[in-house]
């Protein structure tokens, strides 16, 4: 049996044993090719992982199907719960190792990996473990018959996860999918596969039967498309760009009309009223855009500030942006690490160059250092809704700040977008907060905060920001199918 373990260390010397194989049917196996994984802090290769294509996708799907119809379909909820809780315990046991892998692979600050991504992922798996024995239908009063519903697993589920929150998005999908009784194939991003492969090893250690939990890495047009098109896959869950989401939906439609949920892009507005606590609003707006290096689908990349406080807000925001600690993600005090890849770095810098022609570059806009993919926190002012930097998702540490007159004006501006993932409102007036929350066309509205996410609160978008909801009990509905049973107890023909 081939050994796919690579021994390496982080730049600060933390030793890691990295699995690099495809995890299919509880074994690490070879792919059709390999993909180099790069450390975004240095731009240097970490290792090469096995890459799946159609043949390997077929193998993973066939293993999942055989297991589902073999034993897993009739497995007890209590057993699923036991396995999920064991997996959560193992993730908690190896929390530091997982955090180090996530920071090495993705570039996010180690404090973020430890205190947000790993902790939240463990909590998410535990939360959904609690649903295993609480998924049930209802008895319905119908004349002449006994009618009831069953909530049944779909069977084989494909989960395509992004590179910005590899571990957290993994937990958001495997939690409800496993709780509902499905077998899963996770397709990681080719940029950040390492934490998901680590969790696959822990799933085997936890005792999940072969075929229940499969993890593959590969390029979207090859592995992702094969998974989305596969006729034996009954459901595909995708998180990523709106453009790729369209391709996933098209592939699902052209194959077997499988069930699809999509969590896609955003251009979320942060709205600051004149009566807001200004210092707190500045801090939350800063967190809203620069958290996770601006690589958030719900990032508050459009900030609208009421005219009377605009100048003061912009001055305070610039001071905070300029003081942001950008640098080595292994340093616990670092807030912003590198962008995930050279491609993403170049894309963001391209938007910055466009912004310089459209608007006023207020601060930032330059590369930091000559190694890795670091970009200064960037602020544009004198912006209008028709500008490219105001209408397109940049997915980096770039924010545009504009003025507004009143609630009607800012609602019109906030809604001038194809997206509807999130928004935030900053005010000390409860009536304003409630009215704005009710009127904003967004899947999540934060009041006096931004980028606050919890595993028990639904998350998803309006308009072109997605279909369906993740987290909370709403996510379970994505992974079940409802059957009606009607028993004749008195109907005569």
């Amino acid at each position: 049996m081939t050994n796919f373990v690579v021994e390496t260390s982080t730049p600060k010397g933390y030793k890691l044993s990295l699995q690099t194989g495809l995890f299919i049917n509880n074994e690490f196996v070879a792919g059709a090719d390999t993909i180099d994984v790069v450390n975004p802090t240095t731009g240097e290769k970490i290792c090469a992982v096995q890459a799946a294509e159609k043949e390997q996708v077929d193998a993973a799907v066939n293993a999942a199907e055989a297991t589902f119809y073999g034993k897993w379909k009739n497995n007890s909820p209590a057993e699923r719960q036991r396995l999920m809780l064991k997996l959560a315990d193992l993730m908690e046991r190896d929390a530091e190792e997982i955090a180090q892998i996530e920071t090495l692979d993705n570039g996010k600050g180690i404090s973020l990996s430890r205190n947000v991504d790993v902790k939240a992922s463990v909590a998410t798996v535990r939360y959904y473990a609690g649903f295993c024995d609480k998924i049930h239908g209802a008895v319905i009063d119908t004349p002449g018959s006994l009618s009831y519903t069953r909530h049944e697993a779909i069977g084989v589920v494909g989960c395509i996860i992004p590179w910005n929150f590899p571990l957290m998005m993994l937990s958001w999908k495997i939690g409800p999918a496993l709780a509902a009784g499905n077998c899963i194939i996770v397709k990681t991003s080719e940029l950040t596969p390492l934490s998901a492969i680590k969790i696959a090893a822990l799933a085997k250690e936890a005792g999940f039967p072969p075929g229940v939990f499969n993890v593959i890495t590969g390029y979207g047009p090859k592995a992702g498309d094969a998974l989305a098109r596969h006729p034996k896959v009954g459901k595909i869950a995708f998180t990523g760009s709106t453009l790729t989401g369209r391709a996933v939906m098209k592939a699902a439609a052209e194959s077997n009309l499988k069930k699809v949920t999509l969590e896609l892009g955003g251009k979320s507005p942060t709205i600051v009223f004149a009566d807001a606590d200004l210092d707190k609003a500045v801090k939350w707006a800063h967190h809203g855009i620069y958290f996770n290096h601006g690589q958030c689908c719900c990032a508050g990349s459009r900030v609208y500030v009421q005219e009377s406080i605009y100048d003061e807000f912009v001055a305070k925001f610039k001071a905070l942006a300029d003081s942001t600690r950008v640098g080595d993600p292994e340093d616990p005090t670092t807030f912003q690490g590198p962008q995930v890849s050279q491609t993403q770095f170049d894309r963001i810098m391209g938007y910055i160059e466009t912004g310089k022609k459209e608007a006023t570059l207020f601060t930032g806009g330059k590369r930091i250092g000559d190694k890795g993919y670091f970009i200064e926190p960037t602020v544009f002012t004198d912006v209008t809704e028709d500008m490219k930097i105001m209408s397109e998702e940049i997915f980096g540490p770039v924010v545009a700040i504009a003025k507004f007159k009143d609630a009607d004006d800012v609602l019109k501006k906030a809604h001038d977008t194809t997206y509807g993932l999130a928004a935030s409102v900053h005010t000390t007036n409860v009536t304003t907060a409630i009215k704005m929350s009710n009127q904003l066309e967004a899947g999540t509205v934060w009041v006096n905060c931004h980028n606050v996410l919890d595993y028990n609160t639904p998350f998803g978008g309006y308009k072109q920001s997605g279909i369906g909801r993740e987290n909370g009990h709403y996510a379970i509905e994505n992974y079940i199918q409802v059957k009606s049973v009607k028993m004749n107890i008195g109907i005569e023909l």
Side-chain angles (χ1 to χ4, degrees), residues 133-435:
D133 56 1
K134 299 170 187 67
I135 300 171
H136 50 73
V139 176
I140 303 169
D141 187 6
T142 53
S145 64
L146 170 64
S147 300
Y148 63 92
T149 59
R150 287 175 51 82
H151 290 185
E152 299 180 349
I154 291 170
V156 180
V157 169
C159 305
I160 302 176
I161 59 175
W163 49 258
N164 59 332
F165 289 96
L167 183 66
M168 196 181 300
M169 295 302 101
L170 175 78
S171 69
W172 282 19
K173 287 175 173 53
I174 68 171
L178 291 172
N182 297 286
C183 292
I184 60 174
I185 299 103
V186 175
K187 205 290 282 186
T188 75
S189 166
E190 67 274 13
L191 297 176
T192 55
L194 299 179
S195 58
I197 300 174
K198 166 64 180 178
I199 302 306
L202 295 183
K204 181 176 182 178
E205 183 180 349
F208 280 92
V212 173
F213 195 116
N214 305 275
V215 175
I216 60 174
T217 295
Y219 293 110
K222 294 182 178 180
D225 184 71
L227 189 60
R229 289 183 183 279
H230 206 289
K232 293 181 179 180
V233 174
K235 157 70 194 289
I236 196 83
F238 170 80
T239 296
S241 71
T242 298
L243 181 64
T244 306
R246 290 179 187 275
V248 169
M249 196 169 188
K250 185 172 184 284
E254 289 178 345
S255 52
N256 60 340
L257 281 175
K258 57 179 62 65
K259 194 173 184 179
V260 175
T261 51
L262 305 171
E263 196 269 279
L264 306 175
K267 194 69 179 175
S268 301
T270 295
I271 300 168
V272 183
F273 282 91
D275 65 355
D277 183 316
L278 190 59
D279 289 337
K280 289 182 179 179
V282 167
K283 289 179 182 178
W284 278 111
H286 176 276
H287 181 79
I289 180 59
Y290 299 126
F291 174 72
N292 204 47
H293 325 166
Q295 298 173 152
C296 290
C297 51
C298 53
S301 53
R302 295 183 294 151
V303 176
Y304 292 104
V305 183
Q306 203 154 19
E307 290 174 334
S308 62
I309 61 166
Y310 178 84
D311 291 341
E312 186 180 2
F313 178 94
V314 168
K316 287 177 177 288
F317 190 92
K318 179 184 183 300
L320 186 57
D322 290 345
S323 68
T324 302
R325 189 173 179 85
V326 183
D328 179 8
E330 287 192 87
D331 183 340
T333 65
T334 293
F335 180 77
Q336 181 184 318
Q339 309 312 127
V340 74
S341 68
Q342 182 70 57
T343 299
Q344 189 64 14
F345 173 89
D346 292 342
R347 183 174 182 272
I348 296 165
M349 293 304 294
Y351 274 109
I352 290 173
E353 289 306 308
T354 298
K356 289 177 182 178
K357 300 171 186 175
E358 294 181 324
T360 299
L361 177 62
F362 197 63
T363 193
K366 297 189 294 294
R367 178 175 190 159
I368 298 176
D370 57 4
K371 191 176 184 180
Y373 314 126
F374 297 90
I375 298 175
E376 291 178 334
T378 300
V379 178
F380 283 100
T381 56
D382 300 318
V383 291
T384 56
E385 278 58 54
D386 60 344
M387 292 179 180
K388 192 173 182 179
I389 58 171
M390 281 289 274
S391 60
E392 297 185 13
E393 185 178 36
I394 299 173
F395 224 66
V398 181
V399 66
I401 308 179
K403 300 176 183 178
F404 73 90
K405 295 178 182 179
D406 52 29
D408 289 339
D409 180 39
V410 77
L411 280 170
K412 182 179 178 181
K413 291 176 176 178
H415 292 157
D416 189 9
T417 177
T418 59
Y419 297 112
L421 189 56
S424 64
V425 178
H426 301 264
T427 178
T428 55
N429 187 306
V430 174
T431 300
T432 299
I434 294 172
K435 284 184 175 180

Side-chain angles (χ1 to χ4, degrees), residues 14 16 25 29 33 45 53 111 122-123 127 153 212 215 283 285-286 296 305 348 378 412 463 468 473-474 485-486:
Y14 189 96
L16 293 168
N25 212 28
V29 299
D33 202 347
K45 178 180 172 180
E53 294 184 6
S111 294
V122 171
Y127 171 76
V212 173
V215 175
K283 289 179 182 178
H286 176 276
C296 290
V305 183
I348 296 165
T378 300
K412 182 179 178 181
K463 300 195 272 189
H473 68 85
Y474 296 90
V485 179
K486 302 182 78 70

Side-chain angles (χ1 to χ4, degrees), residues 10 14 16 91-119 122 167 194-195 198-199 329-330:
T10 69
Y14 189 96
L16 293 168
M91 290 169 66
E92 192 169 59
R93 181 198 69 187
D94 293 352
E96 181 60 23
E97 179 187 355
I98 296 169
Q100 292 285 346
I101 291 172
E102 197 79 332
T103 290
L104 177 68
D105 197 12
N106 173 272
K108 65 180 64 195
I110 188 65
S111 294
L112 178 61
S113 292
R114 287 170 177 157
N115 300 320
V116 177
D117 294 53
V118 175
K119 286 186 177 180
V122 171
L167 183 66
L194 299 179
S195 58
K198 166 64 180 178
I199 302 306
E330 287 192 87

